[in-house]
Amino acid sequence: MIKNKPTLLVTRKLPPDVERRIKRDYNGIFNPDDRLYSTDELLQKCAQADAILPCHTEDLSAAVIERLPDRIKAIANYSVGVDHCDLAAAKRRGIVVTNTPDVLTDATAELTMLLMLGAARRASEGERLIRAGQWNSWSPAFMVGTQVTGKRLGIIGMGRVGQVTAKRARGFDMEIHYHNRRRLQPDKENGAIYHPNLESMLPLCDFLAMQCPNLPETQDLLNAERIAQLPDGAIVVNSARGSVVDEDALIAALKSGKLAAAGLDVYKNEPHIRRDFAELDNVFLLPHVGSATRETRDAMGFRALDNLDAIFAGNEPTDRVA
Ligand code: DGY
């Protein structure tokens, strides 16, 4: 328990149990309307705060971090991804930054399976048809998709989420291939086939799952040249970050039929997604809900608070990233 309650700016609405714990241990500044603050509003609210508990929706670029008041000691992100937050700038200001790894892994891997299944089995197309009252017959030729079972899955980025996705996909008898900066130890690899470069893996992928973080070197990693290396009729899913896929190239491949389908949870310029995606039948679309389960959203909040509690007790937080 923290003695003198620090003031904590909570930028978005959090699950009730998480907000209850904040009220118990901190002077919380809440956002009951869950409005996305402009940078000026955010900075204004920070004036009274000792720490911030933001989400990936907040812009904590270097320019914003430079303007934070000196009293801000910590940024405890309610996210595993920290691409919205300039870690070097925070370090320069002496602000401790944490994230929430591990607790999103199952939910995000689960969603990756949903994207694969939804895209392969034309789930949104079928659902739209029924909702529009346009389903009027059954035929062997009707809504035929691609089977997932027994297919080859390539995973780009074999971190926590990639490894659990592989485990779930094994339940569908999928053959797992992966590309990662480093090869995993055999116990973690669990029979998955390592490819030190994408060129050797892409031609083998019936399904390709993007699971890598947003880094300068992963920008537009899946571009036209790499899509061309996939087998015709491959299916691409992305539950990582929109920035890792060249959306022009993806749309072109979905339109030409080079790719049979895509399943997307993340986009460039969210929530303003390219209209082409919404207009294409062969895309299964979700609105960045990889971690959106009650269990995970609670766990993310508790993890962020565990980190903050450690910082205000003068200890090293478990999930320090800067
Ligand atoms: C994350 O934690 O990075 C998810 O994308 C939700 O913010």
Side-chain angles (χ1 to χ4, degrees), residues 205-250:
C205 301
D206 302 310
F207 287 79
L208 179 70
M210 304 302 291
Q211 312 253 255
C212 52
N214 174 19
L215 298 170
E217 59 273 26
T218 59
Q219 299 295 306
D220 288 334
L221 185 66
L222 188 65
N223 56 18
E225 196 189 322
R226 294 201 169 107
I227 290 175
Q229 292 168 38
L230 290 165
D232 290 346
I235 292 177
V236 167
V237 301
N238 187 6
S239 56
R241 284 290 187 263
S243 58
V244 304
V245 174
D246 175 341
E247 292 187 338
D248 284 331
L250 180 64

Side-chain angles (χ1 to χ4, degrees), residues 54-57 77-84 99-101 104 108 239-241 265-266 270 288-292 296-297 300:
C55 296
H56 80 273
T57 46
N77 287 295
Y78 183 90
S79 66
V80 64
V82 285
D83 47 323
H84 59 289
N99 69 342
T100 58
L104 290 84
T108 310
S239 56
R241 284 290 187 263
D265 185 47
V266 288
E270 292 174 15
H288 200 144
V289 288
S291 61
T296 292
R297 289 285 159 88
M300 289 167 74

Side-chain angles (χ1 to χ4, degrees), residues 250-270:
L250 180 64
I251 288 164
L254 288 163
K255 284 185 175 166
S256 73
K258 165 68 189 173
L259 294 177
L264 304 175
D265 185 47
V266 288
Y267 310 84
K268 285 184 173 160
N269 200 26
E270 292 174 15

Side-chain angles (χ1 to χ4, degrees), residues 22-307:
I22 295 172
K23 283 178 190 147
R24 188 191 67 191
D25 297 342
Y26 293 86
N27 297 314
I29 305 172
F30 294 99
N31 180 357
D33 302 326
D34 205 17
R35 216 165 38 78
L36 187 62
Y37 296 140
S38 68
T39 296
D40 284 342
E41 271 178 303
L42 181 74
L43 288 166
Q44 220 172 15
K45 288 184 185 290
C46 282
Q48 310 305 322
D50 301 305
I52 319 173
L53 198 157
C55 296
H56 80 273
T57 46
E58 273 64 66
D59 170 18
L60 291 167
S61 55
V64 177
I65 289 185
E66 296 308 338
R67 292 172 63 199
L68 288 176
D70 287 342
R71 63 180 285 172
I72 297 285
K73 286 184 186 48
I75 298 173
N77 287 295
Y78 183 90
S79 66
V80 64
V82 285
D83 47 323
H84 59 289
C85 182
D86 193 306
L87 302 183
K91 219 169 174 176
R92 276 198 300 276
R93 295 283 322 267
I95 298 172
V96 177
V97 183
T98 60
N99 69 342
T100 58
D102 304 322
V103 292
L104 290 84
T105 304
D106 284 327
T108 310
E110 208 171 82
L111 180 113
T112 306
M113 292 308 298
L114 173 63
L115 293 177
M116 285 203 271
L117 292 162
R121 302 304 299 271
R122 303 171 60 174
S124 54
E125 208 183 325
E127 221 228 7
R128 274 198 306 278
L129 192 85
I130 293 181
R131 286 183 189 273
Q134 285 169 0
W135 182 32
N136 43 31
S137 78
W138 185 95
S139 130
F142 175 62
M143 292 243 12
V144 176
T146 303
Q147 192 143 312
V148 172
T149 302
K151 294 288 166 60
R152 298 166 300 180
L153 167 64
I155 298 177
I156 300 185
M158 200 64 152
R160 287 172 286 253
V161 178
Q163 289 171 44
V164 176
T165 299
K167 195 170 169 187
R168 303 288 173 259
R170 282 188 198 100
F172 283 82
D173 297 331
M174 296 186 93
E175 179 182 293
I176 315 296
H177 297 255
Y178 75 100
H179 170 69
N180 200 39
R181 274 177 295 194
R182 278 180 301 276
R183 186 170 179 169
L184 302 181
Q185 294 299 317
D187 59 322
K188 293 207 164 148
E189 203 169 61
N190 220 342
I193 300 153
Y194 177 59
H195 295 262
N197 58 65
L198 282 172
E199 289 61 39
S200 73
M201 181 175 88
L202 293 173
L204 306 174
C205 301
D206 302 310
F207 287 79
L208 179 70
M210 304 302 291
Q211 312 253 255
C212 52
N214 174 19
L215 298 170
E217 59 273 26
T218 59
Q219 299 295 306
D220 288 334
L221 185 66
L222 188 65
N223 56 18
E225 196 189 322
R226 294 201 169 107
I227 290 175
Q229 292 168 38
L230 290 165
D232 290 346
I235 292 177
V236 167
V237 301
N238 187 6
S239 56
R241 284 290 187 263
S243 58
V244 304
V245 174
D246 175 341
E247 292 187 338
D248 284 331
L250 180 64
I251 288 164
L254 288 163
K255 284 185 175 166
S256 73
K258 165 68 189 173
L259 294 177
L264 304 175
D265 185 47
V266 288
Y267 310 84
K268 285 184 173 160
N269 200 26
E270 292 174 15
H272 309 290
I273 77 157
R274 299 272 303 266
R275 289 317 299 164
D276 304 73
F277 285 132
E279 283 159 13
L280 281 165
D281 264 342
N282 54 347
V283 201
F284 180 63
L285 301 168
L286 289 173
H288 200 144
V289 288
S291 61
T293 66
R294 277 190 295 280
E295 297 84 347
T296 292
R297 289 285 159 88
D298 277 352
M300 289 167 74
F302 297 142
R303 185 94 176 212
L305 288 175
D306 289 348
N307 285 319

